Amino acid sequence: MEPFDFRTDSLSALFAPRSIAVVGASSSPQKIGGIPIDYARRFGFDGALYAVNPKAAQVQGLATAPTLRAIGEPVDLAILAVPAALVDEALDDAIAAGVKGVVLFSSGFAEIGAEGAAAQARLAQRARAGGVRLVGPNCLGLMNLRRNVYATFSPAPGAGLVQPGRIGLVSQSGAFGAYAYAMARERGVGLSTWATTGNEADVQLADCLAWLAEDPDTDVIMAYMEGCRDGPRLRAALALAQQRAKPVVMVKIGSTELGAQAAASHTAALAGDDAVYDAVFRRYGVLRARSLTQFFDLAHSAAVAGRPRDRAIGLFTLSGGVGALMADDAAAQGLDVPALSDAAQATLREWVPFAAPRNPVDITGQVTNDLSLMERSARLMLEDRGFGSWMGFLAAAGASDAFWPVLRDLVASLRAAYPDTLLAISTLLSPARRAELEAMRCLVFADPSDGIRTIAALAGLSAPTIDAPAAPHGEAIHLPAGGLSEPQALALLAEAGVPVVPHRVVHSAEAAADAAETLGGPVAVKIVSADIPHKSDAGGVALNLQGAAQARAAFERTRDSARAAQPDARIDGALVARMASGGVECIAGVHRDPVFGPVLMVGLGGIHVETLRDVALRVLPVSRDDALAMVRELRGFPILAGARGRAPADLEAIADALCALAGFALRAGDTLQSVEVNPLIARSRAEGGCVAVDALIVGREPSNLS
Amino acid sequence: MEPFDFRTDSLSALFAPRSIAVVGASSSPQKIGGIPIDYARRFGFDGALYAVNPKAAQVQGLATAPTLRAIGEPVDLAILAVPAALVDEALDDAIAAGVKGVVLFSSGFAEIGAEGAAAQARLAQRARAGGVRLVGPNCLGLMNLRRNVYATFSPAPGAGLVQPGRIGLVSQSGAFGAYAYAMARERGVGLSTWATTGNEADVQLADCLAWLAEDPDTDVIMAYMEGCRDGPRLRAALALAQQRAKPVVMVKIGSTELGAQAAASHTAALAGDDAVYDAVFRRYGVLRARSLTQFFDLAHSAAVAGRPRDRAIGLFTLSGGVGALMADDAAAQGLDVPALSDAAQATLREWVPFAAPRNPVDITGQVTNDLSLMERSARLMLEDRGFGSWMGFLAAAGASDAFWPVLRDLVASLRAAYPDTLLAISTLLSPARRAELEAMRCLVFADPSDGIRTIAALAGLSAPTIDAPAAPHGEAIHLPAGGLSEPQALALLAEAGVPVVPHRVVHSAEAAADAAETLGGPVAVKIVSADIPHKSDAGGVALNLQGAAQARAAFERTRDSARAAQPDARIDGALVARMASGGVECIAGVHRDPVFGPVLMVGLGGIHVETLRDVALRVLPVSRDDALAMVRELRGFPILAGARGRAPADLEAIADALCALAGFALRAGDTLQSVEVNPLIARSRAEGGCVAVDALIVGREPSNLS
């Protein structure tokens, strides 16, 4: 992907201003124009603070200026708390005064309909031309907790401050952002920065993500998204966060039809296909949270412990029952729970004859007679298998004052010996003791299942990767608008490296007979006609033909049937193709998502894709590993892996075909609407790997070109 | 099912004793024999308390008796805290003293191997003969929080008491039970009774469930299970709880292979097939919790709010984004979110022009200008659609002192007007305020997603139903041991009312030809031989035969192939059956679970059952509704419902066939090992409904009869 210029410097005036002016400043600390002044003073903003109000000489004891220009000092951030009708004038004033960033609380823009949207577009245009960054309109503003910047009229900080921390939070919704702020306070989660983007006339969620990715005070990013209008911008921001190794935890609404409907009635943003968002999130290692609890658990845990280096976990318990529960959770979450070596198991059995020594390791209540067992066992486990993560269930021991020093020393000693291992303890702890363990980068969970789920999610944070080059191999392909014929499609795909079924295009019954003989084996005969998309329905397909005579007859029969079904259709001969025997029917393709562009898809054919919707998606470009991972994540993957005694399908060949398909799509660029191979027959290596049997390519209509 | 005698009266001596004696009483309040005495006095047990210790005149200031007999007063409950070697003697003493119930802490029994198991069996036998109920051995004992009974040596109550409440908790594992006790304390969840059953020599988890089902102090039951040795007893206990309308929330370990392995290394109890446990839980409306958090959320919520009367929910929000999030959750959890009527929507739009009025109803931040909007909108929703549940997201409003009276009045007013509606509020509340709303049977959740998930789970609590009579229609069937031939199996199933493919058994090629003509259409010819289970592999099957000549030839060909493949096999002619065309291949059967007896199974055939393990199970007996529900819960159900433009399968016919199969299994009773119909072809009603094409019945070996 091209590097994207987020102009993060210009955003710094918004997020880290040295001076703030409030336009529409009110003398009431309860009013929208009074709250930011009250907050700035109460919470100790240490830069310059100005109040702009042409009708009052002072507000809240602060002398006012009639305009921003009249301040006569540089203003980094202007907060506009004026009615919609006065916004244009205030913005002009800000531009004239050389203000760098504007937070616009006012509502009455795109959210009220077409007229408001037009006003908003003019506003954005004016801000851009004037060189000022604009957050909002219709937003709750932003906070920088480390610099005591409270450019918001949300009552949330007024009810109690969140402690400064290393998590940045950005939300398209003000109400969601305010609730998340309150939850952070209740849960004792520290934040670096908080921002709401509202109608996003200028600054989008993606811009804030990019700024947080570069912010030295932020380690982890929490984001709430309703929709995205600028896919490349979002991808670039997520790529930046991934490059900076900053985990992004995302709540995105609209994962179901009902939710998408509710979201659409709420936001003017283009909703797009939720499955494609998921594909984007997967691409950039974004952790998608399905609830507020998960949102905070994941972000807090990522901030405390980071990413485990692999999916292997050592499970340690004082209770066999809870050990089994953790094993169930780990298996359900796809973590690896490898057994200890025989030698290590024997040692554990020596120490505790009734221990369960495999993994989970259950050293039983015996530990109460010999507290040193805990550290010895943990070290034995970590020496033996070098798990990326280790989690110990210590029952209610943490609540005991007598046991606490033992627990603290255990964690300190393991942390010193294994600096790169993700450590987690499940027990009941006071907030202060919990914080002490967390300071040693040890996660703490009351519920061991929460721990397992969180560690599994953190393991999904992929290592920073660089996007495969968007510039494709080979020359650009310029597709004509509309559907291509099947032979054209097969020829283009073959040229792009997709294995295609052996075939001939013929224009006479005799040529069909010759082709059948040349190709050998049973063949199919299909009419060629761009005018008849559903060839089977028109009787234009004959399958399993043996030899020249049957092929000859089939040529005439299919042509006659198709003519009878659609007398006006132009028929360009027939395709004679060798039947692909055996294998599993798959489907593969690339379609154009309105937000994110070309999306690669693979699925099992037939009912799997049509009824069970079992498909895997990736935004382009993809690596070969991505392609393989797509195949493996299908629910029906066991069918490809060799179900019912069948030889396993050649997965490498499928991955190669997917990469070739993706390469074709990139070369076709903006001229491609969609390409679909259906079926792609997946066979074993001995059977010849996979092969495209039918393909449909649709070129983009010029009117759809942006 | 037969009524089961749980002898709950005899258990009352254990759970609600008027007098307690501690055998092996210790003067140290930290020792296993001292803790129960310390607890009884510290926590105010108001019955008689005795200490038995032949070696000390008094312990902890309490005069001792040398034996239980020597006490000379009636003892309801004796706690035995003596080494394993002294247990026999102590038990004899208890029986001689007329003690009603014994809690046996001692370990060294079944958990240490065969010798311990034998000692335990003798113990159980002796207790039974002596008429004393026995909890343990190898258990942490029990508590009755309403009667200050602390017959346990767990340190958990010593670290702080759980408040008395209306939830009973029973656990097979002591460590799990103790941790759950501590979690209940941390979460402020009140308990009525707490029990651990350890090795279950006499009193099982099921007995405790039954006692709690009858206990007037208990409304909701929490249970932790590792395995069950007595399926009928567990079923009877769950049925009793269901009849008493007491929700049961269950943690059962071993839901994955890894977890089952860990569980097996921990417990001697028969693990059994986890999918069958799930079927049992579903049958009795048990809520299965997958984590400790869920365990407590479900139990506490069930105690506060009970069961909603349907799956319809009205969602109310002040934030469109959170509304969409709730809609996503509700859809994912299978709740119904019906739209309000046009009239109600119009009214809402009158009140708030930018409201989202469908459902979720988003009245936006506008509510801050007119607080009455909240109650008006909620009542409008409930009047309009009469939802079984209503949930409102009120952002951080609950944390505001100014708003709290409004919220409290809202809940009180809705509760008065809609006494039978499940009410839930999502906001941030102090524990005291939360308790105040809960006292009005209104659930409170900080995270709206938790609320939706919990309500959906509570909606899964089925209404109390009575088991269909276990006595089957029709005469008992006595199956011979071993596999029956296919014609025998088809005949038995046809007689039982399962629709079976038209067929004839023939013993000559000529008869095969005749049968093909009589049956008409394409036919299949299959050799009949009890000695050849895999007929296809032996070349003993010919399909799609047209007319007499092909059938005649096939008779000879299949017989010759089978003879060549297995020269010693006895061949009893051939089966000529009409081919069933069209439809979807299903599989149905009944197999015998070692714990729970006959289990009915249905699935889609082929890869669905073999590779994707997409089957639905029910323990017998089943109702016709159960049978229909089984079909609907298949992941592949859309395929039966008419995927790819096909006519939907006749679901009623499948349900009838399943009921007939179940009836057959009940009539065959203990003589049935398994019956499997594969394939059962599911066709549309017009195509003739469903039909069994092949069947295998295996009679139980006498050695397996218990």
mmCIF file of all heavy atoms in Angstrom, chain B residues 630-648:
data_model
loop_
_atom_site.group_PDB
_atom_site.id
_atom_site.type_symbol
_atom_site.label_atom_id
_atom_site.label_comp_id
_atom_site.label_asym_id
_atom_site.label_seq_id
_atom_site.Cartn_x
_atom_site.Cartn_y
_atom_site.Cartn_z
ATOM 1 N N MET B 630 -35.327 -31.092 17.538
ATOM 2 C CA MET B 630 -34.047 -31.706 17.176
ATOM 3 C C MET B 630 -33.684 -31.378 15.731
ATOM 4 O O MET B 630 -32.545 -31.011 15.422
ATOM 5 C CB MET B 630 -34.131 -33.231 17.323
ATOM 6 C CG MET B 630 -34.176 -33.722 18.746
ATOM 7 S SD MET B 630 -34.458 -35.529 18.810
ATOM 8 C CE MET B 630 -32.840 -36.151 18.323
ATOM 9 N N VAL B 631 -34.650 -31.546 14.845
ATOM 10 C CA VAL B 631 -34.389 -31.304 13.430
ATOM 11 C C VAL B 631 -34.014 -29.839 13.217
ATOM 12 O O VAL B 631 -33.062 -29.514 12.499
ATOM 13 C CB VAL B 631 -35.621 -31.683 12.589
ATOM 14 C CG1 VAL B 631 -35.368 -31.374 11.118
ATOM 15 C CG2 VAL B 631 -35.962 -33.150 12.794
ATOM 16 N N ARG B 632 -34.742 -28.958 13.901
ATOM 17 C CA ARG B 632 -34.498 -27.524 13.707
ATOM 18 C C ARG B 632 -33.167 -27.070 14.269
ATOM 19 O O ARG B 632 -32.631 -26.046 13.846
ATOM 20 C CB ARG B 632 -35.622 -26.704 14.363
ATOM 21 C CG ARG B 632 -36.936 -26.825 13.639
ATOM 22 C CD ARG B 632 -37.990 -25.927 14.241
ATOM 23 N NE ARG B 632 -39.271 -26.168 13.601
ATOM 24 C CZ ARG B 632 -39.620 -25.621 12.441
ATOM 25 N NH1 ARG B 632 -38.792 -24.809 11.830
ATOM 26 N NH2 ARG B 632 -40.795 -25.912 11.911
ATOM 27 N N GLU B 633 -32.632 -27.773 15.256
ATOM 28 C CA GLU B 633 -31.377 -27.297 15.830
ATOM 29 C C GLU B 633 -30.137 -27.777 15.080
ATOM 30 O O GLU B 633 -29.029 -27.389 15.429
ATOM 31 C CB GLU B 633 -31.302 -27.601 17.339
ATOM 32 C CG GLU B 633 -30.995 -29.020 17.695
ATOM 33 C CD GLU B 633 -31.357 -29.349 19.158
ATOM 34 O OE1 GLU B 633 -32.314 -28.775 19.698
ATOM 35 O OE2 GLU B 633 -30.684 -30.207 19.744
ATOM 36 N N LEU B 634 -30.309 -28.564 14.025
ATOM 37 C CA LEU B 634 -29.156 -28.953 13.210
ATOM 38 C C LEU B 634 -28.571 -27.718 12.525
ATOM 39 O O LEU B 634 -29.300 -26.879 12.025
ATOM 40 C CB LEU B 634 -29.571 -29.979 12.152
ATOM 41 C CG LEU B 634 -30.001 -31.346 12.687
ATOM 42 C CD1 LEU B 634 -30.566 -32.202 11.556
ATOM 43 C CD2 LEU B 634 -28.833 -32.055 13.351
ATOM 44 N N ARG B 635 -27.247 -27.611 12.521
ATOM 45 C CA ARG B 635 -26.624 -26.490 11.816
ATOM 46 C C ARG B 635 -27.018 -26.517 10.343
ATOM 47 O O ARG B 635 -27.182 -25.497 9.699
ATOM 48 C CB ARG B 635 -25.094 -26.571 11.926
ATOM 49 C CG ARG B 635 -24.547 -26.236 13.295
ATOM 50 C CD ARG B 635 -23.048 -25.884 13.211
ATOM 51 N NE ARG B 635 -22.249 -26.957 12.636
ATOM 52 C CZ ARG B 635 -21.779 -27.996 13.329
ATOM 53 N NH1 ARG B 635 -22.026 -28.099 14.621
ATOM 54 N NH2 ARG B 635 -21.064 -28.936 12.748
ATOM 55 N N GLY B 636 -27.157 -27.736 9.802
ATOM 56 C CA GLY B 636 -27.512 -27.871 8.391
ATOM 57 C C GLY B 636 -29.014 -27.789 8.139
ATOM 58 O O GLY B 636 -29.461 -28.120 7.035
ATOM 59 N N PHE B 637 -29.783 -27.340 9.141
ATOM 60 C CA PHE B 637 -31.233 -27.283 8.967
ATOM 61 C C PHE B 637 -31.664 -26.527 7.704
ATOM 62 O O PHE B 637 -32.620 -26.934 7.033
ATOM 63 C CB PHE B 637 -31.903 -26.686 10.210
ATOM 64 C CG PHE B 637 -33.364 -26.453 10.041
ATOM 65 C CD1 PHE B 637 -34.245 -27.531 9.975
ATOM 66 C CD2 PHE B 637 -33.874 -25.171 9.905
ATOM 67 C CE1 PHE B 637 -35.603 -27.325 9.796
ATOM 68 C CE2 PHE B 637 -35.220 -24.949 9.718
ATOM 69 C CZ PHE B 637 -36.090 -26.033 9.665
ATOM 70 N N PRO B 638 -30.969 -25.420 7.356
ATOM 71 C CA PRO B 638 -31.402 -24.709 6.140
ATOM 72 C C PRO B 638 -31.460 -25.619 4.909
ATOM 73 O O PRO B 638 -32.239 -25.375 3.995
ATOM 74 C CB PRO B 638 -30.332 -23.627 5.968
ATOM 75 C CG PRO B 638 -29.791 -23.404 7.344
ATOM 76 C CD PRO B 638 -29.870 -24.729 8.048
ATOM 77 N N ILE B 639 -30.641 -26.666 4.898
ATOM 78 C CA ILE B 639 -30.661 -27.584 3.758
ATOM 79 C C ILE B 639 -31.997 -28.322 3.708
ATOM 80 O O ILE B 639 -32.570 -28.534 2.637
ATOM 81 C CB ILE B 639 -29.477 -28.569 3.872
ATOM 82 C CG1 ILE B 639 -28.160 -27.785 3.803
ATOM 83 C CG2 ILE B 639 -29.541 -29.645 2.785
ATOM 84 C CD1 ILE B 639 -26.950 -28.591 4.245
ATOM 85 N N LEU B 640 -32.510 -28.697 4.870
ATOM 86 C CA LEU B 640 -33.814 -29.362 4.921
ATOM 87 C C LEU B 640 -34.950 -28.364 4.676
ATOM 88 O O LEU B 640 -36.004 -28.712 4.160
ATOM 89 C CB LEU B 640 -34.030 -30.017 6.291
ATOM 90 C CG LEU B 640 -33.186 -31.264 6.572
ATOM 91 C CD1 LEU B 640 -33.332 -31.681 8.026
ATOM 92 C CD2 LEU B 640 -33.606 -32.403 5.652
ATOM 93 N N ALA B 641 -34.709 -27.122 5.052
ATOM 94 C CA ALA B 641 -35.784 -26.126 4.969
ATOM 95 C C ALA B 641 -36.004 -25.641 3.553
ATOM 96 O O ALA B 641 -36.844 -24.769 3.319
ATOM 97 C CB ALA B 641 -35.456 -24.954 5.893
ATOM 98 N N GLY B 642 -35.239 -26.185 2.596
ATOM 99 C CA GLY B 642 -35.500 -25.812 1.215
ATOM 100 C C GLY B 642 -34.401 -24.972 0.605
ATOM 101 O O GLY B 642 -34.672 -23.947 -0.031
ATOM 102 N N ALA B 643 -33.165 -25.397 0.792
ATOM 103 C CA ALA B 643 -32.059 -24.650 0.204
ATOM 104 C C ALA B 643 -32.031 -24.862 -1.305
ATOM 105 O O ALA B 643 -32.556 -25.835 -1.823
ATOM 106 C CB ALA B 643 -30.738 -25.121 0.814
ATOM 107 N N ARG B 644 -31.381 -23.954 -2.003
ATOM 108 C CA ARG B 644 -31.131 -24.041 -3.441
ATOM 109 C C ARG B 644 -32.410 -24.261 -4.232
ATOM 110 O O ARG B 644 -32.454 -25.039 -5.176
ATOM 111 C CB ARG B 644 -30.138 -25.174 -3.744
ATOM 112 C CG ARG B 644 -28.893 -25.118 -2.882
ATOM 113 C CD ARG B 644 -27.901 -26.165 -3.299
ATOM 114 N NE ARG B 644 -27.008 -25.670 -4.334
ATOM 115 C CZ ARG B 644 -26.052 -26.403 -4.894
ATOM 116 N NH1 ARG B 644 -25.906 -27.651 -4.551
ATOM 117 N NH2 ARG B 644 -25.279 -25.892 -5.806
ATOM 118 N N GLY B 645 -33.485 -23.622 -3.802
ATOM 119 C CA GLY B 645 -34.718 -23.671 -4.584
ATOM 120 C C GLY B 645 -35.435 -25.006 -4.513
ATOM 121 O O GLY B 645 -36.439 -25.222 -5.202
ATOM 122 N N ARG B 646 -34.955 -25.919 -3.666
ATOM 123 C CA ARG B 646 -35.616 -27.208 -3.562
ATOM 124 C C ARG B 646 -36.841 -27.080 -2.662
ATOM 125 O O ARG B 646 -36.877 -26.237 -1.757
ATOM 126 C CB ARG B 646 -34.609 -28.191 -2.935
ATOM 127 C CG ARG B 646 -35.082 -29.617 -2.927
ATOM 128 C CD ARG B 646 -33.912 -30.579 -2.922
ATOM 129 N NE ARG B 646 -32.876 -30.189 -1.947
ATOM 130 C CZ ARG B 646 -31.683 -30.754 -1.908
ATOM 131 N NH1 ARG B 646 -31.347 -31.683 -2.772
ATOM 132 N NH2 ARG B 646 -30.806 -30.383 -1.012
ATOM 133 N N ALA B 647 -37.836 -27.955 -2.879
ATOM 134 C CA ALA B 647 -39.001 -27.952 -1.997
ATOM 135 C C ALA B 647 -38.541 -28.347 -0.596
ATOM 136 O O ALA B 647 -37.702 -29.228 -0.435
ATOM 137 C CB ALA B 647 -40.039 -28.945 -2.493
ATOM 138 N N PRO B 648 -39.078 -27.687 0.441
ATOM 139 C CA PRO B 648 -38.641 -28.028 1.799
ATOM 140 C C PRO B 648 -39.007 -29.465 2.148
ATOM 141 O O PRO B 648 -40.039 -29.990 1.723
ATOM 142 C CB PRO B 648 -39.393 -27.037 2.690
ATOM 143 C CG PRO B 648 -40.431 -26.403 1.837
ATOM 144 C CD PRO B 648 -40.041 -26.576 0.406
#
